[in-house]
Amino acid sequence: MRLVVTGGAGFLGYHLCRQLADKYESIAVLDIAPIDPQEYPAHAIYYNVDVRDRKQLEGVLRKGDVIVHAAAALPLWKRKEIFEINVTGTKNILETALTLQIRKVIFVSSTAVYGIPKTHPLYENSALVGVGPYGSSKIEAELICQEYRQKGMCIPIVRPKSFIGPGRLGVFQILYDWIESGKRIPIIGNGKNRYQLLEVEDLADAIYLLLVAPEEQVNDVFNIGAAEFRTVEEDVGALCNYAHTGSRVMCTPARGVKMLLAIFEKLKISPLYKWIYATADKDSFVCVDKIKTIAGWAPKYSNKEALIKSYQWYLEHKNELHTTGITHRVAWHQGILAFAKRFL
């Protein structure tokens, strides 16, 4: 079997290529961002292709028997780009796969499709309420997946929680930097809310199980998240305790901090976008019973273990990091947060 991974240069794409290397005879890595070939399996071939370009897609997708569609514009990107990549790009992938008679495509959606609900846990049939262009675009892309199911394709949709692991930087690198520096870690609100995470290895395992399962069992929607997680105060506090740097959690008034962060975002002096700070003091967790039952998935890592594993990687590689871009695989400019760090 041959695998195609769109968004293969991204954090999830990188881990999928490495973790599934011995499962497929070839892996086509599709992305507009470059990769370092030394970081990928020898039989993974990179193609500089944009999912918005139908002509280019056909030449690459014909090199695969199954597809994991993980390419996506992130919430920090411009609205136009988000909808072009997340919606039009998904339609292009599915239409091309249909033309080439590739029956199974895994679509990587997001729990952002649930918005900020008041009740938890969230189930696959919970209401979809897009928050911002990113959440709305993922809902539209899921609707397109449903259309192509009606055309005979098998399109499992995965809705993962925020996933972390070796190489996960972005907003988590800011957290790790502050902890390593022994700073107090401001938690929006009282920290008593439960915020589920997900280790990327567990996510890759779930995707593989869906790739190899019978079509009639998995042509559906699946939540994916850690099975074991505590409150934000407890999980971040556990990471602080592990680090032994003197860093500790500091609770802050949610309303005031959110107002400040909204102002900083508008002024473009903070890397934190609304989805991050608006949900930071809210419960956010999904039920994962469905994928456990149907696909036999069993996560290996708790929130605490995933955070520690990711932090360990950061310590080992911090001297190699460069502050560039706004993807999950690079360090972000901290902006005004770097100024605030001095006083904590």
Side-chain angles (χ1 to χ4, degrees), residues 57-63 95-102:
L57 279 178
E58 187 166 338
V60 177
L61 296 193
R62 67 173 61 253
K63 301 178 185 297
E95 182 61 29
T96 305
L98 180 66
T99 300
L100 297 173
Q101 299 183 338
I102 299 173

Side-chain angles (χ1 to χ4, degrees), residues 74-114:
L74 301 180
L76 276 173
W77 296 23
K78 295 178 180 178
R79 178 184 177 87
K80 183 173 183 290
E81 286 183 318
I82 289 174
F83 277 89
E84 285 179 348
I85 295 172
N86 295 0
V87 180
T88 305
T90 298
K91 185 174 180 62
N92 286 344
I93 290 290
L94 297 180
E95 182 61 29
T96 305
L98 180 66
T99 300
L100 297 173
Q101 299 183 338
I102 299 173
R103 289 186 51 81
K104 185 179 279 188
V105 179
I106 309 289
F107 174 62
V108 181
S109 186
S110 168
T111 53
V113 298
Y114 296 121

Side-chain angles (χ1 to χ4, degrees), residues 5-247:
V5 179
T6 75
F11 177 63
L12 174 57
Y14 162 75
H15 279 279
L16 281 171
C17 292
R18 291 171 62 92
Q19 196 164 323
L20 304 186
D22 63 344
K23 311 291 186 185
Y24 294 93
E25 62 189 70
S26 69
I27 302 176
V29 184
L30 186 158
D31 210 310
I32 54 175
I35 68 168
D36 179 351
Q38 295 183 348
E39 294 183 338
Y40 286 72
H43 65 315
I45 308 300
Y46 169 72
Y47 297 91
N48 184 356
V49 173
D50 192 324
V51 294
R52 293 168 289 187
D53 190 327
R54 278 284 308 279
K55 276 189 177 180
Q56 286 187 313
L57 279 178
E58 187 166 338
V60 177
L61 296 193
R62 67 173 61 253
K63 301 178 185 297
D65 300 303
V66 289
I67 300 168
V68 178
H69 179 36
L74 301 180
L76 276 173
W77 296 23
K78 295 178 180 178
R79 178 184 177 87
K80 183 173 183 290
E81 286 183 318
I82 289 174
F83 277 89
E84 285 179 348
I85 295 172
N86 295 0
V87 180
T88 305
T90 298
K91 185 174 180 62
N92 286 344
I93 290 290
L94 297 180
E95 182 61 29
T96 305
L98 180 66
T99 300
L100 297 173
Q101 299 183 338
I102 299 173
R103 289 186 51 81
K104 185 179 279 188
V105 179
I106 309 289
F107 174 62
V108 181
S109 186
S110 168
T111 53
V113 298
Y114 296 121
I116 310 175
K118 294 181 180 179
T119 59
H120 289 81
L122 297 166
Y123 298 90
E124 286 83 356
N125 61 356
S126 294
L128 304 187
V129 184
V131 175
Y134 180 79
S136 298
S137 71
K138 285 295 189 179
I139 292 174
E140 285 194 32
E142 287 196 15
L143 291 173
I144 291 171
C145 291
Q146 292 177 24
E147 290 177 18
Y148 279 81
R149 283 179 183 161
Q150 300 302 314
K151 299 179 182 181
M153 295 181 66
C154 175
I155 310 172
I157 296 171
V158 296
R159 294 175 181 161
K161 288 297 297 175
S162 295
F163 45 91
I164 60 176
R168 178 62 153 91
L169 297 173
V171 69
F172 285 94
Q173 182 271 335
I174 297 174
L175 170 65
Y176 303 150
D177 172 62
W178 283 43
I179 289 177
E180 186 200 5
S181 301
K183 299 296 182 179
R184 288 177 292 172
I185 307 301
I187 298 294
I188 298 178
N190 61 18
K192 305 302 181 185
N193 58 306
R194 299 176 67 198
Y195 203 105
Q196 183 184 31
L197 297 172
L198 172 64
E199 218 288 330
V200 70
E201 182 181 330
D202 284 334
L203 175 54
D205 282 344
I207 289 173
Y208 177 67
L209 288 171
L210 295 173
L211 282 168
V212 299
E215 292 181 7
E216 64 274 12
Q217 293 181 12
V218 297
N219 201 8
D220 208 338
V221 181
F222 300 92
N223 289 330
I224 308 179
E228 183 183 335
F229 54 96
R230 297 183 179 276
T231 66
V232 171
E233 182 182 37
E234 290 174 302
D235 283 332
V236 177
L239 178 58
C240 290
N241 291 337
Y242 170 83
H244 290 297
T245 61
S247 185

